[in-house]
Amino acid sequence: MQNDKKRPDILYSCYSQKSSEGEQFIADHNLGFVISGSSEIFIRGTKYIFNSGDIRFFRRNQLARYTKLPPQGGEYRSISVAMDQDTLRDISEEYQLFMQKPNPDICGLLLEPKSILTSYFDSITPYLDGTSEFNKMLTGLKVREAVMILLEVNPALKDVLFDFTEPGKIDLEAYMNTHYKYNVDINRFAYLTGRSLATFKRDFVKIFNIPPSRWIQQKRLIDAHYLIREKGWKSSDVYLEVGFKDLSHFSYAFKKAYGTPPSVLK
């Protein structure tokens, strides 16, 4: 289902204001370095906080919600290295590195700032020129280097990096009740619950007696109504929290459901 050919990727992020937007699906294993500022990342019920100088790792196929916070009077800056499956398969075959035992417990890690890791990010920094992409050949080499360094500093990651299995069929009801706020499409939910899109929709209706898109919106609107009415949140703060992409869509859906715009709810 996830057969799109992905190229290696190294991204430089820079924000002068608080940001809660961005991709909420971690498609590839990710190694990152926070240059300045801090970030809060919420995965599987766990909140990870990373500050300036921290180096972190996240495994692939996870939904994440994050906030990037610039320092006082400064900018949030970070470097992220996405280790794609094609590169990892090549390394696995070349060096005969294979998963020995599945290790599902590793979702995110704060890595010790060993010199080999800090030197690696120092070697990337001179190439950052304000854009968010490297040239293709250099990117491939630096991603391969990142994989080998991770194996050096944390050998247990071998069973994560070279785990090429796809998500198996899991409890749909429990998963959706936990993850409905994540702003991803139905195809992604189907994949992460180990189903084809058609099977996902069929199983969903059997459980909830309503199509998935409608159920997800209803759940988000109920949460939004509670946060505004009972907690005093502003509509401009609520829409991202409950999983809507933009304020106008949220306001339209809210008014249609409750008969009043969220901004005037008492």
Side-chain angles (χ1 to χ4, degrees):
M1 197 171 192
Q2 295 289 305
N3 291 326
D4 296 343
K5 188 165 179 71
K6 295 177 67 70
R7 65 176 178 81
D9 215 355
I10 299 178
L11 296 176
Y12 170 64
S13 297
C14 181
Y15 296 89
S16 58
Q17 296 181 336
K18 175 181 175 180
S19 172
S20 299
E21 300 183 46
E23 179 61 61
Q24 294 186 315
F25 175 63
I26 303 174
D28 294 310
H29 302 305
N30 191 282
L31 175 66
F33 173 57
V34 180
I35 301 172
S36 61
S38 62
S39 61
E40 300 175 354
I41 304 176
F42 190 79
I43 299 176
R44 295 190 189 179
T46 299
K47 184 177 183 180
Y48 300 87
I49 299 176
F50 300 100
N51 298 307
S52 176
D54 284 348
I55 300 172
R56 82 287 189 281
F57 171 83
F58 289 110
R59 77 181 302 146
R60 72 184 183 107
N61 285 341
Q62 297 188 102
L63 293 176
R65 305 185 71 193
Y66 61 82
T67 301
K68 298 176 179 180
L69 302 163
Q72 184 71 31
E75 298 175 323
Y76 171 87
R77 295 188 295 137
S78 68
I79 302 172
S80 296
V81 182
M83 290 159 277
D84 62 292
Q85 294 293 281
D86 290 333
T87 297
L88 287 165
R89 289 182 188 277
D90 288 344
I91 293 174
S92 175
E93 293 176 10
E94 183 176 351
Y95 296 101
Q96 294 296 289
L97 294 167
F98 305 106
M99 175 186 70
Q100 300 299 314
K101 182 180 179 182
N103 191 343
D105 295 331
I106 295 180
C107 299
L109 290 175
L110 174 64
L111 300 170
E112 289 185 44
K114 295 185 177 180
S115 59
I116 191 172
L117 273 171
T118 56
S119 295
Y120 170 75
F121 284 105
D122 286 343
S123 75
I124 292 177
T125 304
Y127 296 98
L128 302 175
D129 59 1
T131 66
S132 61
E133 298 194 39
F134 276 36
N135 93 29
K136 189 173 182 179
M137 185 178 295
L138 176 60
T139 298
L141 291 172
K142 299 306 288 185
V143 170
R144 289 177 66 91
E145 184 181 352
V147 174
M148 304 312 291
I149 289 174
L150 279 174
L151 294 172
E152 174 71 22
V153 301
N154 194 326
L157 286 176
K158 184 181 75 168
D159 288 336
V160 176
L161 293 170
F162 302 115
D163 180 354
F164 299 115
T165 58
E166 298 302 329
K169 196 169 185 179
I170 61 173
D171 185 327
L172 179 59
E173 183 175 10
Y175 187 86
M176 292 307 300
N177 275 312
T178 302
H179 295 88
Y180 65 89
K181 290 183 183 179
Y182 288 95
N183 189 10
V184 294
D185 61 29
I186 300 302
N187 283 291
R188 191 74 74 192
F189 282 128
Y191 170 67
L192 291 171
T193 57
R195 292 164 170 83
S196 68
L197 180 58
T199 302
F200 174 82
K201 290 180 177 179
R202 185 173 61 250
D203 290 352
F204 196 99
V205 172
K206 285 181 180 178
I207 295 169
F208 295 104
N209 298 310
I210 187 174
S213 295
R214 195 185 307 168
W215 180 87
I216 289 169
Q217 178 159 294
Q218 287 181 0
K219 290 283 286 184
R220 291 172 175 175
L221 288 172
I222 290 170
D223 285 353
H225 188 276
Y226 172 77
L227 289 174
I228 295 171
R229 184 76 176 267
E230 304 298 331
K231 297 295 184 179
W233 285 41
K234 296 180 179 179
S235 57
S236 56
D237 296 326
V238 164
Y239 78 97
L240 287 174
E241 173 66 23
V242 299
F244 281 87
K245 287 185 178 181
D246 58 71
L247 181 57
S248 61
H249 177 219
F250 165 66
S251 297
Y252 174 81
F254 191 96
K255 184 177 180 180
K256 187 176 181 180
Y258 293 105
T260 184
S263 57
V264 299
L265 182 67
K266 300 296 184 180

